[in-house]
Amino acid sequence: MRLAPLLMAAVLCLACDTSAVRQPLEFSHRAHVGGNGLACDVCHESFATSVSAGMPTTETCMTCHQAPMSDSAEEEKVREFANRGEEIPWRRIYRLPGHAYFSHRRHVTLAGLDCRECHGDVADSPVPQARPAVALTMTRCTGCHERLAASNDCDACHR
């Protein structure tokens, strides 16, 4: 039975991919959220209504960036994706193991959690995150559930 703690540690390590991720654009949350006051759901359209927050579509970006707003080469890349009829290939940073279930809608809409609870202060980031700002571990999740008197029944999150 000494293998059980090692197996659990291995599963938890897989829960948060810590390898560096390079995004296709040098996107600044600070410029969009802080500089322009955009709410999370302007770009992550389904974060309050779905299991997944969703990544910004090229069409969403083009709502504001059809014409140049700056002299940024990164901004021009948005229009290049649009001109080619391609989606911006955003890369996921946060990953949970397949047996763990997480719903943005339940946590944001029903529980009223702020994005910073799980994602850190992304709004102040001038560059794309390369790694998760917050490690999504079972201990962190169950601690939050205890603090908010939410269910810690295994079946609530593990399927």
Side-chain angles (χ1 to χ4, degrees):
M1 284 287 123
R2 296 188 103 181
L3 245 69
L6 291 175
L7 182 59
M8 182 56 94
V11 168
L12 289 176
C13 285
L14 292 173
C16 189
D17 183 0
T18 58
S19 59
V21 169
R22 184 172 172 99
Q23 295 295 349
L25 301 171
E26 285 295 313
F27 177 84
S28 170
H29 276 94
R30 181 185 291 163
H32 288 78
V33 178
N36 289 311
L38 297 178
C40 298
D41 65 347
V42 171
C43 301
H44 300 279
E45 297 176 37
S46 61
F47 90 102
T49 60
S50 182
V51 169
S52 170
M55 297 299 272
T57 64
T58 303
E59 181 181 3
T60 298
C61 297
M62 290 299 288
T63 301
C64 297
H65 294 287
Q66 282 193 358
M69 297 176 77
S70 71
D71 60 357
S72 167
E74 298 303 303
E75 182 186 359
E76 183 58 33
K77 288 180 186 178
V78 172
R79 288 184 289 282
E80 289 171 6
F81 280 110
N83 289 337
R84 291 191 304 264
E86 297 176 5
E87 286 301 324
I88 300 167
W90 299 112
R91 298 196 51 215
R92 289 183 63 95
I93 294 174
Y94 290 90
R95 296 185 188 280
L96 293 175
H99 65 273
Y101 174 78
F102 179 88
S103 168
H104 273 89
R105 184 186 71 80
R106 283 186 152 200
H107 288 82
V108 174
T109 304
L110 302 177
L113 293 182
D114 187 89
C115 299
R116 289 176 285 202
E117 291 282 335
C118 299
H119 295 284
D121 196 10
V122 174
D124 195 42
S125 179
V127 296
Q129 287 181 281
R131 292 182 172 81
V134 174
L136 300 181
T137 64
M138 189 167 145
T139 301
R140 181 177 180 80
C141 294
T142 57
C144 187
H145 277 227
E146 286 173 14
R147 190 175 76 250
L148 298 175
S151 173
N152 259 331
D153 183 335
C154 298
D155 289 337
C157 304
H158 294 276
R159 299 182 174 179

